[in-house]
Amino acid sequence: MIYTKQNFNNKTILITGGAGFIGSNLAFYFQQNFPNSNIIIFDCFRSELIFSNGNPQSFGHYKNLIGFKGKIICGNINNENHLKLLSDFDFDFIFHQAAISDTRVYDQTMVIETNVNSFYSLLKIAKKNNATMVYASSAATYGSLPSPQTVGKESPENPYGFSKLMMDQIAYQYSKENPEMIIVGLRYFNVYGPKEFFKEKTSSMVIQLGHQILSGNAPKLFEGSDKILRDFIYIDDVIQANIKACSSKKNGTYNIGTGTPRSFQDIADILQKELNTNFQTEYFPNPFEGYQIHTQAEISSSIKYLNFNPKITLESGIKSYITEIKLHSETQKI
Ligand SMILES: NC(=O)c1ccc[n+]([C@@H]2O[C@H](COP(=O)([O-])OP(=O)(O)OC[C@H]3O[C@@H](n4cnc5c(N)ncnc54)[C@H](O)[C@@H]3O)[C@@H](O)[C@H]2O)c1
């Protein structure tokens, strides 16, 4: 799918976090649609290091990149020596996705160092190369503020959300100081779709519930899940946003959601329909404090300035995704 008139052939494109969920989808998007683009992925991949919450310290996985024909640099965005490896290139576009993406990491030093400090370095590279910078922000910047979540009203409730808000503020300041640059932040809401499997426990509830059902168990949801609504967005619409951000009419931070919240119960019900099962949902108490009960992206400025047009409903997204959910359920190997 070609979303804009921008031709990425013969362009040099850096994707940080390109071994992760969204970054690897972006890499394949360019490879398939612009086969003459020069794609460079910078990612530290996963080591054996884990956080105190039991999750890997980075989720990048080589299996997300099987078939990728571009260049790969294994490096850490916190390490200036690793970043120096990027000085051999002259980038036209930078899609900065690398981050500690796990919202339940509470080591503030680590989250803020990784997500915020590195952003200064990458902005410098963008400036030096005269490259467009599109970076990942997050709906976690809003915390549990009431819907619709609107850019300009934020209240993060974890170090991750705070780090993304700081990135947005840095981007704003950098744009002011460098008005010739294109710098666009995309506040993704709840993204789901192929290549998220390796995010393990931090992957979307779509794949997690899908696997519960496929292993013959009833879907298990928090009590009141029919009233816990989120703005779930399919990966293809997130790719669309990244591409359109490159021809944004205005620098800034933009919400990337559908604008239509749906419940976790809806996810379980759609999955059961797609998988031809009829389990009775089981409910258990929600153990989390500061849990977002209702998110709904306010997307009028994303429509106006990015020409963003989310197209994929929860029903059609899950339908497109179901084959991959089944495939991973059979292998279940990390
Ligand atoms: N998936 C979502 O629902 C969602 C929602 C809001 C924001 N985001 C943001 O979008 C971006 C991509 O998210 P994702 O879902 O693809 O997550 P992901 O964890 O799959 O991808 C992040 C990638 O960054 C890499 N990485 C982590 N630390 C690194 C470091 N120090 N140096 C180099 N590479 C490092 C990881 O190996 C991984 O490949 C992230 O910035 C995330 O915070 C995602």
Side-chain angles (χ1 to χ4, degrees):
M1 174 79 83
I2 304 290
Y3 295 111
T4 63
K5 289 194 181 127
Q6 190 127 34
N7 184 357
F8 292 92
N9 279 318
N10 304 313
K11 301 291 182 196
T12 304
I13 300 167
L14 170 63
I15 304 173
T16 71
F21 167 35
I22 296 170
S24 61
N25 274 286
L26 263 173
F28 280 101
Y29 172 83
F30 287 118
Q31 180 166 301
Q32 276 148 22
N33 293 285
F34 299 97
N36 293 325
S37 56
N38 181 19
I39 312 160
I40 292 98
I41 283 176
F42 185 92
D43 198 301
C44 63
F45 290 76
R46 75 180 51 194
S47 64
E48 289 178 345
L49 296 173
I50 55 162
F51 287 122
S52 59
N53 67 11
N55 292 334
Q57 287 197 4
S58 50
F59 291 109
H61 202 295
Y62 75 91
K63 285 193 181 167
N64 280 336
L65 291 174
I66 290 177
F68 175 63
K69 296 185 174 70
K71 298 186 184 74
I72 283 172
I73 297 173
C74 182
N76 195 314
I77 47 171
N78 294 325
N79 185 320
E80 285 295 334
N81 283 330
H82 292 177
L83 288 174
K84 273 187 199 144
L85 295 168
L86 297 175
S87 57
D88 289 345
F89 300 94
D90 189 6
F91 297 111
D92 298 294
F93 297 92
I94 299 178
F95 296 90
H96 177 39
Q97 309 295 319
I100 292 179
S101 64
D102 184 342
T103 57
R104 297 194 192 285
V105 176
Y106 300 109
D107 181 331
Q108 302 188 18
T109 311
M110 226 167 165
V111 173
I112 297 168
E113 182 184 22
T114 304
N115 295 1
V116 179
N117 290 12
S118 62
F119 194 40
Y120 293 107
S121 317
L122 284 152
L123 281 166
K124 253 191 228 164
I125 297 174
K127 184 175 171 173
K128 188 169 151 253
N129 288 203
N130 200 16
T132 296
M133 162 64 83
V134 180
Y135 70 92
S137 179
S138 169
T141 50
Y142 297 114
S144 46
L145 287 177
S147 292
Q149 286 72 29
T150 309
V151 175
K153 282 189 212 159
E154 295 83 8
S155 181
E157 286 178 11
N158 52 37
Y160 169 80
F162 175 79
S163 72
K164 293 290 182 179
L165 181 57
M166 290 307 105
M167 288 176 71
D168 295 335
Q169 291 183 8
I170 293 163
Y172 176 77
Q173 195 59 34
Y174 216 84
S175 286
K176 253 180 44 183
E177 289 161 7
N178 300 280
E180 73 290 354
M181 286 180 75
I182 299 176
I183 306 174
V184 177
L186 301 176
R187 276 192 189 156
Y188 307 143
F189 279 60
N190 280 72
V191 191
Y192 66 100
K195 297 187 185 291
E196 65 165 318
F197 174 67
F198 298 107
K199 289 181 72 176
E200 303 183 21
K201 288 187 190 130
T202 74
S203 61
S204 76
M205 285 311 291
V206 175
I207 188 164
Q208 296 197 42
L209 288 170
H211 285 171
Q212 268 173 35
I213 296 167
L214 281 163
S215 51
N217 296 309
K220 291 179 193 56
L221 296 176
F222 294 150
E223 284 161 359
S225 278
D226 55 331
K227 293 185 191 63
I228 306 179
L229 274 70
R230 292 273 178 90
D231 196 325
F232 299 104
I233 180 152
Y234 193 59
I235 184 68
D236 290 9
D237 279 336
V238 167
I239 301 301
Q240 180 205 138
N242 275 274
I243 300 307
K244 289 186 170 173
C246 298
S247 19
S248 173
K249 296 187 189 100
K250 199 171 140 196
N251 282 359
T253 309
Y254 294 95
N255 280 342
I256 301 303
T258 60
T260 307
R262 300 292 300 270
S263 71
F264 285 102
Q265 189 69 59
D266 287 338
I267 294 182
D269 294 347
I270 298 166
L271 281 164
Q272 293 231 60
K273 186 163 168 260
E274 287 299 325
L275 295 169
N276 284 317
T277 55
N278 199 11
F279 295 110
Q280 202 65 38
T281 309
E282 289 174 13
Y283 300 97
F284 64 103
N286 181 350
F288 297 118
E289 275 177 37
Y291 193 77
Q292 289 175 311
I293 294 293
H294 194 289
T295 65
Q296 176 178 16
E298 205 292 311
I299 55 171
S300 58
S301 60
S302 320
I303 295 169
K304 184 170 171 192
Y305 295 110
L306 302 185
N307 195 26
F308 177 55
N309 178 15
K311 284 190 186 313
I312 300 162
T313 60
L314 192 59
E315 281 77 5
S316 56
I318 292 179
K319 201 178 187 54
S320 315
Y321 187 16
I322 208 78
T323 312
E324 165 138 344
I325 294 177
K326 283 185 188 160
L327 195 76
H328 281 305
S329 170
E330 283 155 21
T331 54
Q332 287 285 350
K333 289 205 185 73
I334 304 281

